[in-house]
Amino acid sequence: MQVFFLREAWRSLNAHRGLAMTAIVSLTAALTLCGVFLLLSFNADRTMRAVGDRREMVLYLRDEVSDAEVQALQQRLHDLYGTTTFVSRAQAWEEFSEQIGDPDLLEAVDTNPLPASVRLKLKPELMGYAETEKVARSVREFPEVEDVRYGAEWVQRLDAITEGLKRIALVLGLVVALAIVLVLHNTLRLTVLARRPQVEIMSRLGARDGFIATPFVIEGFMVTVFAALVSLAIVAGLHQVVAMRVSGLVFLPPVWMLAFVGGAGVLAWAAGSIAVTRVLRAVGP
Amino acid sequence: MIQFDHVTKRYGERLALDDVSWSMDEGECVSVLGHSAAGKTTLLKLITHEVQPTTGTVRVGTFTGGRLSRTTRALLRRTIGVVYEDFRLLADRSVFENVALAVRISGHFADSEVVPRTLHALQEVGLHDEQAKLPQELSFGQRQRCAIARAIVNRPAVILADEPTGALEPRSASEVLALLLRIHREGAALLVGTTRPEVAEALPGRRFELEEGRLRETGTSRGSLAPLGGGLAGGR
């Protein structure tokens, strides 16, 4: 029976090539737009993660803190928040000297004024602005800690950019989903109406709505999956062109490509089923 | 098997059927004679639930009156074989595919049974050798035989024929009626609507006449294909 439905869908596609082609072009346009943004979103997300991985919180320690207390503090921080690196006063001076570079300026300073510190690299789930702020407030209460710095404004901005990208991706995804639904609804409606005599005869022979609808739904699915594959090819071509000028731009991984095509297919199946069932109710005798 | 109980059907102002009550038993043959627009097609459409009565109830087997759900309506139609004046064949499918479609729609048979059942039905109507042709490559008589093959391929308990000989010349008409009668003799109930008295005369069983929406029984016929001039009453 499955072969029968496939053959029927293929027959319908062949009989209405013009309609199918119009649908493919419209869907390819919508899906290409979605694909381009998906690619941008994927690369932006990847960059944000790389930047986020370098986020650090610096805990400046009081001068009177002993080595044993530092070790205990590091252990506590490790258990609660993430990995730590101890920077002694001498190491801090050394780093500072390297950054300044001017020996005359450094000689003007009599003694090392820099405090020892612990650099804390937070666990991934604590990297959001709100979570980081909460951690900073907590560790500031530790008796060994004099002050905490972590670039709050920068973290907040990074979070806002990531959040903004996610929202744009969601809105664009919804717009493309709506476009798929509308294009398929109209295409399948026209296809069913073009085959109205066939639908009426099948209905008079006692065919269930599901029996009549299945080939049309398969047709919508095939058209959409084909459009998704074409749009992926277009996006890959655009990526090749842009990647020659912008370094570090990577293409979507196979799982994302599969999700893109599969998602479009699933949406097409659902939209097609609803559309054809609605049209059949209006057409069938 | 089929029962109309005080059925009236109006299309807007026009009265198609007026307080019609009648019934038909299993295996019976009934003919309904009436001029064009007398209400014959409405009568058949009420049986297949293509239209609903304005008042009254129609019972077909265990399906009783009212507006049936689409699923139940489809189930009802699968128990009936219908033959139309204009054949209602799918123009882009071969004779074989037209008949096989009805088998697939029935949902009763596995894929492996579709081909032998279809071929058997085509054999019965004498179209075995024409199975690969498209309907438009057949004569009108052959097209109607194809429609009959589609109607009988699932062995329905009742066959409705709406002016089955309307588009046919006498010899083909005689062949088609002979075929319907043979199927009836094998056990199927047969209800034929026609404008031609000689067709009603050719069918054995009760005869009704429809005039201005009113149905009245006019007698019983023994059935003879002689007036049609085909002389094929015994079969093909």
Side-chain angles (χ1 to χ4, degrees), chain B residues 29-33 197 200-201 203 205-209 216-221:
Chain B
C29 178
V30 170
S31 61
V32 178
L33 183 67
E201 195 65 40
L203 298 165
R206 288 189 294 153
R207 277 186 295 162
F208 288 86
E209 251 188 68
R216 65 186 173 89
E217 193 168 341
T218 56
T220 305
S221 165

Side-chain angles (χ1 to χ4, degrees), chain A residues 121-148:
Chain A
K121 194 172 177 186
L122 292 170
K123 294 174 183 172
E125 63 268 29
L126 298 173
M127 280 191 177
Y129 172 69
E131 291 80 9
T132 308
E133 182 67 29
K134 206 168 154 188
V135 173
R137 272 203 305 274
S138 299
V139 296
R140 203 169 271 135
E141 300 298 319
F142 289 2
E144 303 88 344
V145 177
E146 174 87 47
D147 194 11
V148 178

Side-chain angles (χ1 to χ4, degrees), chain A residues 1-4 7-8 11 15 195 197-199 201-209 211 280-282 284-285, chain B residues 45 49-50 70-71 73-75 77-78 82 84 88-90 92-93 97-98 101-102 104-105 107 109 111 150:
Chain A
M1 193 60 95
Q2 283 75 6
V3 177
F4 167 75
R7 216 170 40 219
E8 287 291 304
R11 187 200 296 266
R195 298 187 80 83
Q198 175 192 326
V199 169
I201 286 170
M202 287 169 86
S203 177
R204 285 194 170 97
L205 290 175
R208 287 172 287 105
D209 281 352
F211 185 93
L280 286 182
R281 281 178 197 282
Chain B
K45 281 184 172 177
H49 270 253
E50 286 179 52
R70 290 179 69 83
T71 310
R73 198 180 69 180
L75 186 62
R77 289 177 183 174
R78 291 202 291 274
V82 189
Y84 299 93
R88 306 266 169 98
L89 297 171
L90 295 169
D92 61 345
R93 281 145 216 257
E97 286 174 315
N98 266 284
L101 182 65
R104 292 190 189 281
I105 284 173
F109 308 103
D111 280 353
R150 186 181 63 185

Side-chain angles (χ1 to χ4, degrees), chain B residues 93 117 129 138 155 163-164 175 212 221:
Chain B
R93 281 145 216 257
R117 277 196 83 84
D129 295 337
L138 303 178
R155 295 290 164 207
E163 202 68 78
E175 284 176 4
E212 293 179 351
S221 165

